[in-house]
Amino acid sequence: MTVVSMAYLAQPDQQQKLEWLDGGVLGMLLDGAATDGQLTVGRFDVSEGEAPPFHLHTREDEVFLLLKGSALVWSGEEEHELKEGGIVYLPRNVPHAYRITSKKADLLMICTPAGIEGMFRYAGRDLATPRPDGFEILPERLAEASDKFGQVIMGPPR
């Protein structure tokens, strides 16, 4: 008899959801607590125009898989179109950014090692809590979160 055990399992209603830039939602699928610091996996539900600042990660490598939608992606000064089903690998210390070009997009983010989730939690808002009047992620809060969790903002969104 074969016994299969899972080290971690979380159903959709058990996953933290954060309000993120421009009203987008980041579902935190796996974080460092669930993966012993090895991996962060998040899923973004975002709208056209959503764009983080041009930045780099000093602590983790990042992979984006565009499940639905389209986007422009910058790696250094190179601009690329990312179509539905496309994937991009962004090693640490490589400046990058993206801008969603479709009406809606569904984007899977994988970072290794874990830790970037702290930045999202610090600057974002847990959707399980009441939304304060006028809530928005101000550039100052994003810069503070970035500094605290090893991200370097290189410039404005593209």
Side-chain angles (χ1 to χ4, degrees):
M1 178 169 96
T2 303
V3 178
V4 176
S5 63
M6 298 186 74
Y8 181 82
L9 184 142
Q11 300 296 345
D13 63 346
Q14 298 170 307
Q15 299 162 6
Q16 182 182 34
K17 291 180 179 45
L18 300 169
E19 182 174 350
W20 191 236
L21 299 175
D22 303 318
V25 174
L26 168 60
M28 196 57 61
L29 308 181
L30 291 171
D31 64 10
T35 65
D36 194 28
Q38 299 302 305
L39 181 69
T40 298
V41 179
R43 188 169 180 179
F44 290 90
D45 178 6
V46 291
S47 298
E48 185 174 25
E50 198 269 348
F54 191 59
H55 66 283
L56 63 82
H57 307 271
T58 63
R59 301 177 186 170
E60 61 276 322
D61 300 322
E62 183 173 34
V63 173
F64 278 118
L65 173 61
L66 191 58
L67 300 169
K68 291 186 180 178
S70 60
L72 292 175
V73 176
W74 289 268
S75 175
E77 293 305 314
E78 294 181 22
E79 178 182 312
H80 303 277
E81 183 178 358
L82 189 63
K83 297 177 182 178
E84 193 166 298
I87 192 166
V88 61
Y89 168 65
L90 299 160
R92 67 191 77 188
N93 297 313
V94 172
H96 61 275
Y98 67 85
R99 177 173 297 280
I100 302 302
T101 55
S102 54
K103 292 291 180 197
K104 296 288 287 175
D106 184 359
L107 186 68
L108 188 69
M109 171 196 71
I110 303 167
C111 291
T112 184
I116 195 171
E117 66 271 19
M119 189 266 307
F120 291 111
R121 289 175 172 145
Y122 189 87
R125 182 185 70 82
D126 190 324
L127 291 177
T129 63
R131 189 175 201 273
D133 289 339
F135 174 82
E136 68 178 289
I137 299 173
L138 298 172
E140 298 81 19
R141 181 71 173 182
L142 185 57
E144 187 178 323
S146 296
D147 288 344
K148 188 174 177 99
F149 293 96
Q151 317 308 306
V152 178
I153 295 177
M154 310 288 291
R158 301 237 166 149

